[in-house]
Amino acid sequence: MAETAARTDAPIDPIALRRAFGTFVTGVTVITTRDEDGSPRGMTANSFTSVSLDPPLLLVCVAKAASSHQAFTNAGCFAVNILHEGQVDISGTFASKSPDKFQSVTHDHIHTGAPVLTDSLTWFDCTTHSAVDAGDHTVLIGQVRAFGTSPTAPLGFCRGRYASVKDPLPAGWLASHGVIIGYLIEAGDGLLLRSDGRGGWVLPSARRRKADSQLVVEGGDALRLVPEETFLYSVFDVADSDPGYLVYRARLAGEGEEVNLPADLRFFGIDDLPYEAIATHELRSMLRRYVRERQAGRFGIYMDSDDGGRVAMIDGEARAWIQASQDQGQ
C-alpha cells in the first residue's frame, strides 16, 4: 500500500513531496535561450509537458531561483532539447554552474534564434506563448516553430537518478517524422553528390550533425571538413509525408589529398550539376540558388514558410562565437 500523509491538513514536508514527485519517470531536457546581450543560456530540466497540437504548444517550468530565470522569461523564445541515453554528461554540465556549458555541445540557430542542441534525441524551437507565475517556478508555454527528432533511445530519470528505457521505438514510427541532414560539400570547383541508386542524385547526408570537423560517409572514409566554413544553409519540408531537410554548406579539408570515396559519391563541376536527375523540385531550387550565391561569393540562409520562404543574407567573415561576444562587449 502506498505511503500516505497522516492528516490531510498537516503541513506538507517539501523534501518528502520532492521525493514523491520524483517517482514519476520522466525524460531529461536541456532548455536553452539567449540573454539580452545574445549569450546562450541553458539549464537541465525534467518538468516538460506537451500541451496542444493545434496550436502546437508545450510547457516547461523554470525555477525562479535559477540564474537564467530572467533570461528565459525575457527572451521571447526558447528551445527544449530532449536528451538521449548517451548524453548523461550533457545533463550534468547543464545542471552545473559552469560558465562554459555550450563549449561541449554542437548547437545551431534553427528558427527563433534560441540555441538548438542538434545532437539531442529531439528538439523543439519555440516562441514564448505565455508565462504563468506558479509558486517558486514560472511556467513557460511555448509555441513550437520547428522541431526535429531521431530514433535514439531517450535518457530517463526517476527517484533522483538516471534510468534506462528499453525498446523505445515501435517499428516504422519515424518514417514520416525524420529530418534529413544534408551537406553541400565543396572541393575546388566541385560539389559532392550521392547516387540514389535509381539514376538520380541527392545530397550526401548524415544521421545527425555529429561535429563540424568531419562527416562519416557509409562505405568510405570520414570526410574531413573545414570547421570555419561549415554553416546552416537551408531548412525546408518536401511534403507532409516526407522528412524535412536541414542542409549545411561545408568545404572539404586538405583539398588535393586522396580521399576514399564510395562508388555512389561523385564530385560534379559547379557548372555541370545534373539538375534533371535531382529528385525533387525543392532540392533543384536549392542547388540553383547555391550556384548563384557561390558565383557571387555571398551566401544566405533559407527558411521554409507558407508564402515561399525567407532568405537572410550573410555579410562578412565567419568568427567564433566567443570572439564575437568579446568584440560586442568592448
Side-chain angles (χ1 to χ4, degrees):
M1 183 176 178
E3 183 178 350
T4 59
R7 293 172 51 191
T8 57
D9 59 350
I12 295 292
D13 180 346
I15 296 177
L17 182 62
R18 183 183 181 93
R19 289 173 179 168
F21 283 154
T23 61
F24 184 67
V25 181
T26 71
V28 182
T29 78
V30 167
I31 56 176
T32 53
T33 190
R34 292 197 178 276
D35 59 22
E36 291 181 352
D37 66 5
S39 298
R41 303 294 296 270
M43 57 183 287
T44 301
N46 66 345
S47 54
F48 160 78
T49 304
S50 60
V51 175
S52 168
L53 294 178
D54 186 17
L57 301 176
L58 55 76
L59 70 77
V60 292
C61 297
V62 182
K64 293 178 181 177
S67 61
S68 54
H69 176 265
Q70 185 174 357
F72 278 100
T73 54
N74 290 348
C77 64
F78 62 92
V80 179
N81 307 274
I82 302 176
L83 302 187
H84 60 68
E85 61 183 356
Q87 293 182 305
V88 171
D89 56 335
I90 302 301
S91 173
T93 297
F94 278 86
S96 73
K97 297 185 182 298
S98 169
D100 300 318
K101 295 178 181 180
F102 287 86
Q103 296 303 305
S104 60
V105 295
T106 301
H107 60 282
D108 264 319
H109 307 161
I110 303 299
H111 184 90
T112 68
V116 169
L117 309 189
T118 51
D119 285 346
S120 57
L121 167 68
T122 299
W123 54 263
F124 302 95
D125 194 3
C126 307
T127 52
T128 302
H129 179 271
S130 59
V132 180
D133 185 86
D136 57 6
H137 280 65
T138 296
V139 179
L140 288 182
I141 299 176
Q143 181 159 353
V144 178
R145 301 298 183 178
F147 70 97
T149 190
S150 76
T152 314
L155 178 63
F157 196 77
C158 182
R159 290 194 170 101
R161 68 184 71 182
Y162 297 108
S164 297
V165 180
K166 296 182 179 179
D167 194 23
L169 190 68
W173 180 86
L174 204 65
S176 63
H177 299 278
V179 174
I180 295 175
I181 312 298
Y183 278 80
L184 294 160
I185 300 179
E186 307 168 359
D189 294 328
L191 182 72
L192 189 64
L193 296 178
R194 179 188 286 277
S195 169
D196 65 4
R198 301 185 298 273
W201 294 90
V202 296
L203 296 180
S205 62
R207 180 168 171 266
R208 63 174 180 259
R209 188 176 176 223
K210 187 66 177 176
D212 286 337
S213 59
Q214 68 175 13
L215 179 69
V216 178
V217 180
E218 184 177 353
D221 294 340
L223 300 180
R224 293 190 300 112
L225 307 178
V226 180
E228 296 80 8
E229 297 189 35
T230 301
F231 300 97
L232 180 66
Y233 185 72
S234 191
V235 182
F236 62 91
D237 287 328
V238 174
D240 289 342
S241 60
D242 292 326
Y245 275 82
L246 287 178
V247 179
Y248 291 90
R249 180 170 59 89
R251 176 162 290 277
L252 197 66
E255 291 187 26
E257 298 178 3
E258 185 175 350
V259 179
N260 175 31
L261 289 178
D264 61 346
L265 286 178
R266 173 182 165 187
F267 276 103
F268 286 85
I270 196 66
D271 296 323
D272 300 311
L273 295 178
Y275 294 111
E276 71 285 350
I278 301 298
T280 68
H281 165 73
E282 289 83 359
L283 284 174
R284 288 194 297 273
S285 296
M286 184 205 62
L287 284 173
R288 288 192 169 97
R289 177 173 70 88
Y290 162 79
V291 170
R292 291 195 302 270
E293 293 183 350
R294 182 168 170 180
Q295 291 170 340
R298 186 168 180 260
F299 292 91
I301 298 177
Y302 172 83
M303 299 290 181
D304 198 8
S305 67
D306 293 339
D307 61 355
R310 304 280 189 273
V311 176
M313 301 309 296
I314 300 174
D315 294 309
E317 295 296 324
R319 291 183 295 166
W321 171 254
I322 292 178
Q323 181 61 51
S325 299
Q326 292 173 345
D327 291 347
Q328 291 172 0
Q330 291 177 353

